[in-house]
Amino acid sequence: MSCIEQLEYEILLQGASFKESGEYIKKHFSEWFEVEPGYRLFDAHLIGVPPVVLGVEGEDVIFPYVKPCRGTFLLRAKGPEEIAKLRARKKKR
Amino acid sequence: MTETEGKTALLLLGCPQVPVQTSVAIHLCDQLRERGVTPVIAGTGSARKLIEVADPKRRYIGEILDLDDCIDAIAEKQRDFDYAYVFIHNDGGVSYAGTLSAISRARLVGIVYGEHADETAALITFPCEVVATKATHNPMPIVVKLGRVLP
């Protein structure tokens, strides 16, 4: 997942569990999507417990990023193309 | 020829923070080989080094993969395994097991250990066989339970 580490991102949550990260997205963002683990986002396969929740706000995607030793980080990064892909899936709530 | 002969098993190692991981992984490789199953290890850099140093002539271990490269290969359907054993002692380990439950067709087993093994095992909400024990330094409680989830 090094490609995600090369993005310009903001850390919204650190030290939360994977489940709490998904709940945070649903609580704080009006547009969110559920995808399967392994979904390709920013050229990386997402790690997580199904379903993986992704948020959208403006041109930003909010997504969990799991590191084996350090747990889940909730990141926010610009991704208009990723948002278009998510909306095209039409699997919103 | 046994039913398991020629099959493959992935051992997915997480952060090696809890000492039992390395010895249980090598022990599991031995048990799998006894059954004709070829073990393949994927793990973080530190987890891989611990394993390689402990078995320098590779009498028990075999192929070793980078954790993310392994997930990529399975997700892209370039590779899969008959069995997958995920070593879990934290939320991150549960997430990796959850990922395998979605992308792999392997029989999935979570080996849960560490001080908070019961709480960690409760986070496994997807199809996955689980063996859980509070072992941290002494691998024997896990080794005893491994028999339940061997092929």
Side-chain angles (χ1 to χ4, degrees), chain B residues 74-85:
Chain B
I74 299 171
E76 298 288 344
K77 308 287 180 209
Q78 294 163 356
R79 188 164 195 185
D80 207 351
F81 301 87
D82 299 296
Y83 310 96
Y85 296 89

Side-chain angles (χ1 to χ4, degrees), chain B residues 107-137:
Chain B
R107 172 185 163 191
L108 180 62
V109 178
I111 300 173
V112 186
Y113 52 93
E115 277 196 33
H116 307 289
D118 293 337
E119 295 93 319
T120 306
L123 300 172
I124 299 176
T125 54
F126 44 86
C128 177
E129 291 177 66
V130 175
V131 284
T133 170
K134 289 193 176 182
T136 52
H137 293 91

Side-chain angles (χ1 to χ4, degrees), chain B residues 15-123:
Chain B
C15 173
Q17 186 185 17
V18 182
V20 292
Q21 176 172 272
T22 303
S23 62
V24 172
I26 291 174
H27 179 87
L28 179 55
C29 285
D30 178 56
Q31 292 293 303
L32 290 165
R33 286 192 184 282
E34 288 278 317
R35 289 159 176 77
V37 179
T38 303
V40 175
I41 289 175
T44 62
S46 304
R48 298 197 308 269
K49 279 282 169 242
L50 280 162
I51 288 279
E52 285 170 333
V53 168
D55 184 13
K57 292 197 166 51
R58 300 201 176 208
R59 295 188 195 281
Y60 303 100
I61 64 175
E63 186 182 3
I64 298 190
L65 305 171
D66 171 76
L67 183 58
D68 292 331
D69 289 348
C70 178
I71 293 292
D72 287 346
I74 299 171
E76 298 288 344
K77 308 287 180 209
Q78 294 163 356
R79 188 164 195 185
D80 207 351
F81 301 87
D82 299 296
Y83 310 96
Y85 296 89
V86 184
F87 286 71
I88 301 169
H89 78 279
N90 61 12
D91 191 62
V94 175
S95 290
Y96 274 88
T99 304
L100 281 183
S101 78
I103 64 175
S104 170
R105 296 192 337 192
R107 172 185 163 191
L108 180 62
V109 178
I111 300 173
V112 186
Y113 52 93
E115 277 196 33
H116 307 289
D118 293 337
E119 295 93 319
T120 306
L123 300 172

